[in-house]
Amino acid sequence: MGRLLDIVTPLHRMTKRDYIARMVDDKVTCMLKAKEYEVDYWDGDRRFGYGGYRYLPGRWTPVAQALIDTYGLTNESSVLDVGCGKAFLLYELKQLLPGLKIAGFDTSKHGLAEAKPEVRDYLFSYKAQDRYPYGDKSFDLVISLATFHNLRLFELETALQEVERVGKQAYVMLESYRNEQELFNLQCWALTAESFLDTAEWIWLYNHFGYNGDYEFIYME
């Protein structure tokens, strides 16, 4: 197994969440809409997802810088983002390292269309649970943020093994919980999650599927 990192957690903690309000707001209907991963999920009402996922200058810069520092990325490096969404992180990486070779994919047509023009040509529509269209060790780093908990258990094997296969280094961040309160909060808040596992279960799963990359968990505290 790789390292347990703390890269996205500071950014995650900046957002306030009303867990009970989401749970009692016709949540099943909201889940079905969110799982379309289109306009309502990204830029519709907050009850369906992000409630307006817009580019904010500097918001993702600390995460991008932490990835550069942690993995020794340079202008000669290459990065693949699995489940890139609007690819704001890839954009920030390119701002810091203009020569960085990037690629990203997502299933959301709206998300990809709303990416910054500077990175849009490097993005494409694809599923995280399918075999990736790249050769072994094609990228210096493969990342996936807040995506894999949206896969079912039988889909995670391929996803994790593909991250391991195409990347020389790997980093996966997803939602988890450490106690009953965090599990309750997660169940209230999550609209698209399919796999609700505590940290020990995720680590067991990583080992079971042969994932040896780095990882991080975010919690609904």
Side-chain angles (χ1 to χ4, degrees):
M1 280 290 295
R3 299 166 290 180
L4 174 60
L5 301 180
D6 186 39
I7 292 177
V8 179
T9 295
L11 180 62
H12 169 72
R13 285 176 171 162
M14 292 172 62
T15 300
K16 302 299 181 183
R17 300 169 179 86
D18 188 337
Y19 300 114
I20 300 299
R22 173 162 284 186
M23 175 58 79
V24 299
D25 183 23
D26 194 13
K27 187 167 185 281
V28 173
T29 297
C30 295
M31 289 168 61
L32 292 171
K33 178 58 67 174
K35 288 180 179 182
E36 295 174 2
Y37 295 107
E38 295 302 340
V39 178
D40 289 306
Y41 173 72
W42 295 103
D43 295 316
D45 193 282
R46 178 69 162 156
R47 65 201 295 258
F48 300 128
Y50 286 104
Y53 190 75
R54 299 173 181 86
Y55 176 72
L56 299 175
R59 179 174 176 81
W60 285 97
T61 303
V63 175
Q65 188 63 60
L67 290 173
I68 290 170
D69 295 341
T70 301
Y71 295 103
L73 301 177
T74 70
N75 279 301
E76 285 70 50
S77 300
S78 56
V79 174
L80 170 66
D81 188 348
V82 175
C84 64
K86 294 189 179 184
F88 293 155
L89 178 54
L90 287 177
Y91 174 79
E92 291 294 345
L93 284 167
K94 286 286 284 184
Q95 297 298 95
L96 295 171
L97 294 175
L100 183 71
K101 301 176 184 65
I102 62 168
F105 63 78
D106 201 279
T107 59
S108 172
K109 295 178 181 178
H110 178 76
L112 296 172
E114 290 291 307
K116 300 282 283 183
E118 293 88 342
V119 301
R120 202 174 294 156
D121 289 344
Y122 304 102
L123 312 177
F124 61 100
S125 179
Y126 206 76
K127 292 181 178 180
Q129 62 268 42
D130 290 343
R131 184 175 173 85
Y132 303 164
Y134 299 105
D136 295 355
K137 308 306 177 189
S138 293
F139 294 89
D140 294 302
L141 174 65
V142 178
I143 61 175
S144 182
L145 278 63
T147 294
F148 283 1
H149 54 251
N150 295 326
L151 303 180
R152 292 167 291 181
L153 288 177
F154 61 83
E155 297 173 320
L156 282 163
E157 181 173 14
T158 297
L160 289 166
Q161 290 177 353
E162 284 298 280
V163 166
E164 185 90 356
R165 181 182 67 81
V166 305
K168 298 173 186 175
Q169 302 179 93
Y171 161 71
V172 170
M173 180 276 287
L174 47 73
E175 296 171 351
S176 184
Y177 64 93
R178 298 165 292 189
N179 53 56
E180 296 303 316
Q181 184 62 62
E182 290 177 356
L183 171 59
F184 175 79
N185 293 345
L186 178 59
Q187 290 173 328
C188 287
W189 191 256
L191 294 168
T192 57
E194 298 286 351
S195 296
F196 292 85
L197 304 175
D198 69 19
T199 54
E201 290 171 320
W202 277 116
I203 291 171
W204 181 91
L205 201 68
Y206 291 155
N207 286 319
H208 183 68
F209 290 150
Y211 175 71
N212 296 301
D214 296 331
Y215 56 99
E216 180 175 3
F217 304 113
I218 55 173
Y219 306 106
M220 302 301 166
E221 298 172 302

